[in-house]
Structures are given as C-alpha cells and as structure tokens.
Amino acid sequence: MELILTYIISEPWPIILLEELNRTVFEGLTFATLDIDFEKLLDFKGGTLHVSMIYPHGERFSNDYVGDINVVSLIDLRNSIRLWELWYEQKFWEKKIALRFVWSTFQ
C-alpha cells in the first residue's frame, strides 16, 4: 500500500493587483493518491486499486476579482474535496494482459 500526499502552494496574487483592497488572495491545492496492491495485501494475484482526490482551497481569484470567463489560474475551483480518479486493474496470464476499470473526472 502506498499513500502519496502532495500540497501545491500556489498563486498568492500580488498586492499590486488588489491595491485598493489592501490584501492578497491565496489559492492552494492538495492532491492525495492511494495505491493498493492486492497481491501484497491479500495474496490476490494481479489486482491493483488506485484512488486519487484533490482539494482546491482559497479565494477564487477569477470569479471574485477579475470577472472573466476564462480563469487566470489552473486551480481556480470551488473549495471542495473531489474524487479525481478511481481505477481497478487486474493482470492475467503472468502479467502479460491487463484489464482496467476506470472512473475519472476532469473539471
């Protein structure tokens, strides 16, 4: 079992852009991934489960301050935990063939 947690500190928008508000806007993103190898965990040969989630947080710079349709930031999303990717893979015939069932979202 492997757990990877990544935190992206990103885009503290400069005070120059928001001088009349006298503040800085901050956006961040947390990305977590969990991989479970069922062969090691339960002695179930060839099975792997992968789950990943994202948590964008902070003020939405584009919506709240710029008012544009195309966002200025790639992490300018609503503050909420989201399932990013979920898949199960089963390998057969001495790991020469693999079948993967995937659920994924890209918003």
Side-chain angles (χ1 to χ4, degrees):
M1 184 170 2
E2 180 179 38
L3 175 66
I4 300 170
L5 190 62
T6 306
Y7 183 71
I8 300 169
I9 300 173
S10 182
E11 303 167 349
W13 294 99
I15 296 174
I16 298 167
L17 292 175
L18 304 171
E19 192 169 1
E20 66 254 3
L21 298 174
N22 196 19
R23 60 186 290 191
T24 301
V25 174
F26 172 80
E27 293 178 322
L29 180 73
T30 303
F31 186 80
T33 301
L34 176 65
D35 288 315
I36 299 173
D37 184 349
F38 286 107
E39 190 167 346
K40 292 178 183 175
L41 189 65
L42 302 172
D43 200 30
F44 184 68
K45 296 195 187 245
T48 304
L49 178 70
H50 173 86
V51 180
S52 60
M53 59 75 75
I54 61 170
Y55 175 58
H57 55 278
E59 295 184 63
R60 296 180 69 191
F61 187 72
S62 289
N63 275 8
D64 299 340
Y65 299 99
V66 179
D68 61 348
I69 295 171
N70 191 13
V71 295
V72 245
S73 165
L74 293 176
I75 61 171
D76 194 358
L77 303 166
R78 284 178 277 127
N79 296 345
S80 62
I81 296 174
R82 299 161 187 236
L83 180 63
W84 184 255
E85 186 178 38
L86 171 67
W87 54 259
Y88 176 78
E89 180 178 78
Q90 183 63 53
K91 294 182 180 175
F92 302 99
W93 293 296
E94 298 175 5
K95 299 183 180 180
K96 293 179 182 174
I97 295 177
L99 182 62
R100 185 179 285 186
F101 300 95
V102 180
W103 182 89
S104 183
T105 180
F106 300 100
Q107 299 175 359

